[in-house]
Amino acid sequence: MLLEQIRGPESLKGLSPGQLETLAEEIRGFLIEKLSATGGHLAPNLGVVELTLVMHYLFNSPRDKFIFDVGHQAYVHKMLTGRMDRFDTLRQYKGLCGFVKRAESEHDVWEAGHSSTSLSAAMGMALARDLKGDDNKVVAVIGDGALTGGMALEALNHIGHEKKKLIVVLNDNEMSIAPNVGALHNYLGKIRSDRHYIKAKDELQHLLNKIPAIGGKLAKTAERVKDSVKYMVVPGMWFEELGYTYFGPVDGHDIGKLIETFNQAASVDGPVLVHILTLKGKGYSPAEADSHKWHGITPYKIESGQVLKAVGPPMYTEVFGNTLIELAEKDERIVAVTPAMPGGSGLLKFAERFPDRMIDVGIAEQHAATMCAALAMEGLKPVFAVYSTFLQRAYDQVVHDICRQNVNVVFAIDRAGFVGPDGETHHGVYDIAFLRHVPNMVLMMPKDENELRRMMKTAVDYDKGPIAVRYPRVNGLGVDIDAELQPIPIGEWETVQTGDTAALLAVGPMLQVAAEAGELLKREGLSLRIVNARFIKPLDENMLLRLADERIPLVVLEEGAQLGGLGSAVLEFYSLHGIHHMDVRIVGIPDAFIEHGSI
């Protein structure tokens, strides 16, 4: 097998295009086999096999810089840069990271787990190259979904203005995770549908070249004719008007055509956009048929495509989605908003039931947050369903547009706490710290799925400003579900176990950890008081004062950053009230980024 001979990018240099095609099929077989055991981002990587091969075949990494937007489509890049033997450890503790990781290889020059950062990074590297007097190439690979992100458009504009020499590869598979939305996506669709414009463009150029340049007037007229006709026949003119030389659309699975196109692109002195068309999930029929499902997948059976899932209670995400439907049946104000994550946020059923009240804005968290503020001002009840790690991208809008104006937006913050295999770019461990200190915000987290339902009811009924409920990426506990939804009094904690040795204030899934600790300590003759500190803001001040009167030691247990978390809030409360005798210990996430691995 050719794959066994690949030790690094240099191993590709002597291969023929035909051998590269053979190698592409071997790579697909390798990925399908390995990910059936580990899970991971299968469909995106099957779609970029030929692209990644040709990039390493023609260019010289790491001197030439390859920047992968998001980084979840870099498995082939990892294989070609000496990490094939580690794929059995993919996304496992101390194993191979599922995203680009600078500590893993000199070929990984930029890390990301969020979309739309690659073009800004590419511009920075191109500027640094020119300032240092180097001549290496910079290649950024970005998907059509990520290109709709505001940051990508900002960088696209700046690159075109500065005319720096770099290559932008637009990997157009019509998908991000969910189907793409937006005007730019529709524009790319028009480009995909027109296969004749390159020929028309070439024929027009040939015709104009035959016109004798007799005087400036005729030359200017010819240029005007050329421009006007180009607007009619060249859909890529939008990119050219931004300052790019546009190549494409190119079949992203045709190695010969890719080699030809990249050779042409590399010779251009300025920014180039290479528009390639790929099939997400190519080479594995289940992934081709449902690239949404197979974007990020758990272990599966190769032959049937059956996904192996543990049997158990529904995940919190599913409970959220079903509860939102139940609430929306009775409250016509409710609209659901998601930044390109309708499936991951549990909103597909809601979209079927209420298509007019489901708004997917694409990869645009900032826009989504500000839009929610305006929806709320007009009397609706927007529920912004967003992963904790992606809400970080809308911080200014949360502060400036929502909390400052004190509007009734509900934040449904999914993936709160550790997320496991996706690792440090996706752990939802900072939202407590960056939401708790903003005026007007209410922040809560449930101990189980029934309490999540009650918190959803609480949030929808709350009309005094923004309110957030955060919940983890785990299955529920299988508790009984109340037949009728009842709200929870704002700021009221719950004592779930009595004791007088120490009080353990726990939030979310950490309540189960607290209960286990209580059972262990009971054998030592110690009794823990366990409190469900379900409101992170506002705190249950009456309970904190009672605990101070009892002079009982406190331990705060939270699956979030210690700096600025619930423990910090408790310490601040006692400090502000002049209570200095309390012994408070915080068990949380230290001041460090936590790597990938099982929770």
Side-chain angles (χ1 to χ4, degrees):
M1 290 180 65
L2 283 171
L3 193 56
E4 296 173 353
Q5 303 171 26
I6 303 301
R7 297 289 178 266
E10 65 282 352
S11 303
L12 301 175
K13 303 302 183 184
L15 300 182
S16 67
Q19 287 176 307
L20 291 178
E21 292 175 1
T22 301
L23 183 57
E25 294 312 306
E26 292 180 10
I27 288 172
R28 285 196 170 90
F30 178 94
L31 288 174
I32 293 167
E33 176 188 351
K34 294 297 183 183
L35 269 64
S36 70
T38 64
H41 290 95
L42 181 63
N45 285 282
L46 293 178
V48 298
V49 175
E50 288 85 0
L51 167 64
T52 312
L53 275 172
V54 169
M55 285 169 57
H56 278 291
Y57 180 67
L58 293 179
F59 303 125
N60 297 297
S61 175
R63 185 173 187 277
D64 294 329
K65 311 299 182 185
F66 296 165
I67 304 166
F68 295 91
D69 204 281
V70 183
H72 62 275
Q73 78 286 54
Y75 292 5
V76 184
H77 165 76
K78 289 176 182 261
M79 290 176 63
L80 299 176
T81 53
R83 287 169 274 181
M84 242 184 301
D85 59 347
R86 298 187 62 196
F87 265 77
D88 289 331
T89 70
L90 181 68
R91 291 158 49 89
Q92 298 170 28
Y93 185 55
K94 299 299 182 183
L96 197 64
C97 182
F99 297 87
V100 175
K101 190 74 173 172
R102 294 172 68 209
E104 278 185 8
S105 171
E106 63 179 349
H107 297 278
D108 290 7
V109 300
W110 178 258
E111 293 182 13
H114 296 177
S115 81
S116 310
T117 68
S118 61
L119 301 189
S120 298
M123 182 57 170
M125 292 187 183
L127 283 165
R129 173 201 62 202
D130 294 350
L131 288 169
K132 294 188 295 183
D134 292 339
D135 62 353
N136 59 287
K137 296 176 177 62
V138 178
V139 183
V141 179
I142 186 169
D144 49 325
L147 190 64
T148 65
M151 185 174 173
L153 296 176
E154 291 171 15
L156 201 67
N157 179 57
H158 186 215
I159 293 167
H161 174 73
E162 294 288 347
K163 300 292 190 294
K164 290 298 177 184
K165 182 178 175 67
L166 60 83
I167 298 173
V168 175
V169 180
L170 173 55
N171 176 31
D172 185 356
N173 56 28
E174 304 188 61
M175 294 284 286
S176 47
I177 296 176
N180 291 321
V181 298
L184 182 56
H185 167 66
N186 293 334
Y187 172 77
L188 293 173
K190 291 179 182 178
I191 297 180
R192 282 190 295 269
S193 65
D194 186 348
R195 297 292 187 265
H196 305 292
Y197 82 89
I198 294 178
K199 181 179 179 183
K201 177 182 175 183
D202 292 342
E203 289 177 350
L204 177 66
Q205 185 67 51
H206 179 69
L207 175 64
L208 291 172
N209 286 339
K210 289 186 175 182
I211 299 175
I214 304 174
K217 184 176 181 180
L218 183 57
K220 290 177 182 178
T221 301
E223 281 302 309
R224 283 199 298 271
V225 171
K226 176 182 173 183
D227 286 344
S228 62
V229 178
K230 279 170 73 176
Y231 276 112
M232 289 189 291
V233 301
V234 185
M237 274 306 299
W238 186 76
F239 296 109
E240 295 202 3
E241 284 299 307
L242 283 175
Y244 294 77
T245 300
Y246 174 88
F247 292 94
V250 179
D251 182 351
H253 304 298
D254 184 332
I255 283 179
K257 190 64 178 176
L258 286 172
I259 291 173
E260 175 188 344
T261 303
F262 274 107
N263 276 328
Q264 291 175 333
S267 67
V268 175
D269 187 20
V272 176
L273 190 135
V274 179
H275 182 187
I276 70 167
L277 307 181
T278 60
L279 177 62
K280 201 171 181 181
K282 182 174 175 59
Y284 186 52
S285 54
E288 289 185 14
D290 190 352
S291 59
H292 180 196
K293 171 184 173 182
W294 290 82
H295 173 85
I297 199 72
T298 55
Y300 55 91
K301 293 181 179 179
I302 297 176
E303 296 77 12
S304 64
Q306 177 187 351
V307 178
L308 306 177
K309 290 186 176 180
V311 178
M315 296 189 73
Y316 280 87
T317 302
E318 183 180 349
V319 175
F320 157 75
N322 291 336
T323 305
L324 190 61
I325 292 173
E326 189 176 334
L327 291 165
E329 296 277 7
K330 300 176 182 178
D331 190 341
E332 294 183 352
R333 300 176 303 159
I334 293 175
V335 293
V337 177
T338 177
M341 301 296 291
S345 293
L347 291 173
L348 293 179
K349 291 181 181 178
F350 185 94
E352 292 175 5
R353 177 66 185 84
F354 304 105
D356 294 337
R357 294 159 66 183
M358 170 71 190
I359 306 168
D360 184 350
V361 302
I363 302 175
E365 294 87 357
Q366 294 170 300
H367 162 61
T370 297
M371 185 186 73
C372 282
L375 286 167
M377 287 178 182
E378 292 301 308
L380 298 178
K381 178 68 73 165
V383 178
F384 185 16
V386 60
Y387 292 7
S388 170
T389 185
F390 297 146
L391 183 58
Q392 295 166 185
R393 296 158 65 93
Y395 175 71
D396 179 62
Q397 288 68 33
V398 171
V399 175
H400 184 271
D401 300 331
I402 295 175
C403 291
R404 188 183 58 83
Q405 301 189 92
N406 199 32
V407 290
N408 299 321
V409 174
V410 176
F411 293 90
I413 305 175
D414 203 336
R415 272 65 168 176
F418 287 131
V419 295
D422 280 340
E424 60 194 75
T425 59
H426 282 63
H427 291 319
V429 297
Y430 305 112
D431 61 271
I432 292 176
F434 73 71
L435 291 177
R436 185 178 68 79
H437 67 257
V438 185
N440 297 325
M441 177 64 75
V442 172
L443 182 58
M444 52 188 172
M445 187 174 195
K447 69 178 187 293
D448 56 40
E449 61 268 43
N450 188 57
E451 194 164 68
L452 170 61
R453 286 170 50 78
R454 294 189 65 191
M455 286 185 173
M456 289 299 300
K457 172 65 172 171
T458 305
V460 168
D461 287 354
Y462 185 73
D463 283 325
K464 296 181 180 179
I467 186 168
V469 53
R470 61 193 308 270
Y471 44 93
R473 185 193 186 187
V474 296
N475 293 94
L477 302 179
V479 300
D480 293 334
I481 300 297
D482 293 341
E484 185 176 349
L485 286 169
Q486 295 291 337
I488 301 170
I490 299 293
E492 184 178 283
W493 290 353
E494 174 190 35
T495 301
V496 297
Q497 178 177 305
T498 59
D500 55 16
T501 301
L504 190 47
L505 309 181
V507 60
M510 293 299 98
L511 207 68
Q512 283 68 56
V513 177
E516 293 171 13
E519 287 301 312
L520 291 171
L521 289 172
K522 191 180 294 183
R523 302 171 196 173
E524 308 272 341
L526 305 173
S527 61
L528 273 186
R529 184 180 309 177
I530 299 177
V531 176
N532 174 21
R534 54 195 176 186
F535 282 92
I536 301 162
K537 184 183 181 183
L539 303 173
D540 189 332
E541 297 188 357
N542 290 330
M543 184 178 289
L544 287 173
L545 291 172
R546 289 197 301 270
L547 291 169
D549 288 341
E550 295 181 49
R551 294 179 175 266
I552 186 170
L554 298 184
V555 179
V556 181
L557 180 59
E558 55 188 320
E559 193 177 330
Q562 288 181 352
L563 301 180
L566 175 62
S568 293
V570 171
L571 290 170
E572 291 161 11
F573 172 82
Y574 284 134
S575 176
L576 287 170
H577 285 75
I579 298 171
H580 306 301
H581 65 268
M582 290 297 290
D583 184 0
V584 180
R585 308 296 175 91
I586 303 174
V587 179
I589 297 172
D591 188 20
F593 291 105
I594 308 301
E595 63 183 293
H596 56 280
S598 68
I599 295 175

